[in-house]
Amino acid sequence: MSAMSNELLASRIEAAALAVPGVASILRRGAAVRSVIDSGTRLLGIGDGPASAVRVEQRDAEVEVECTVGVVRSRGAAETVRDLHREIADVVLQLTGLPAEIRITVGHVDEVAPLDPMAQCAAPTAASPRSRARARARDPR
């Protein structure tokens, strides 16, 4: 598998991963430095765009895939990662005929779901005795 086909496979995996319910984003490793490098190469005219955030490397009998994802809180990270793992394994097998060794890291959890009503009840409010006591401690007038 050539470097070009590794890039193509990575982009196919990235597209499939973003379609998995619960996956909010694919995060780039070393994003700040990589972003500067990508911008520089585009300005110099030697780069088409940012490389895939999915790392793919073919070994003798398997394809190694590594990615970091942002997940949606409402679905649950474990369930999302299981589904994502299955999807990546399927894509790799279909496109290469090889099994995949897959490493997925959850790098961020998006807080899109409403807060748990019980957590809202437990949070101290401005009118709670605890808040008033803290306010008096700061301003002992």
Side-chain angles (χ1 to χ4, degrees):
M1 187 177 274
S2 69
M4 183 57 127
S5 57
N6 278 347
E7 290 175 14
L8 179 60
L9 180 56
S11 69
R12 297 271 175 91
I13 291 169
E14 188 170 343
L18 289 170
V20 172
V23 174
S25 59
I26 307 292
L27 306 172
R28 302 189 72 196
R29 293 176 6 173
V33 172
R34 174 55 44 202
S35 179
V36 170
I37 292 170
D38 288 343
S39 296
T41 58
R42 280 193 308 277
L43 284 172
L44 294 172
I46 55 176
D48 296 333
S52 174
V54 177
R55 189 183 71 74
V56 174
E57 188 175 329
Q58 184 173 357
R59 303 280 184 209
D60 292 334
E62 66 186 8
V63 176
E64 195 174 292
V65 178
E66 188 174 337
C67 63
T68 301
V69 296
V71 298
V72 178
R73 175 181 172 215
S74 61
R75 182 143 193 277
E79 182 181 4
T80 300
V81 169
R82 276 191 298 273
D83 291 348
L84 178 57
H85 192 280
R86 242 180 271 125
E87 183 65 26
I88 291 172
D90 289 348
V91 168
V92 170
L93 188 60
Q94 287 174 358
L95 295 176
T96 68
L98 295 171
E101 179 174 323
I102 303 164
R103 281 187 293 286
I104 300 169
T105 303
V106 175
H108 179 71
V109 177
D110 285 340
E111 300 289 335
V112 256
L115 290 175
D116 179 26
M118 294 308 292
Q120 285 181 329
C121 292
T125 62
S128 74
R130 183 185 292 167
S131 294
R132 286 192 300 266
R134 272 190 255 138
R136 281 193 302 272
R138 279 187 246 125
D139 188 14
R141 286 188 233 169

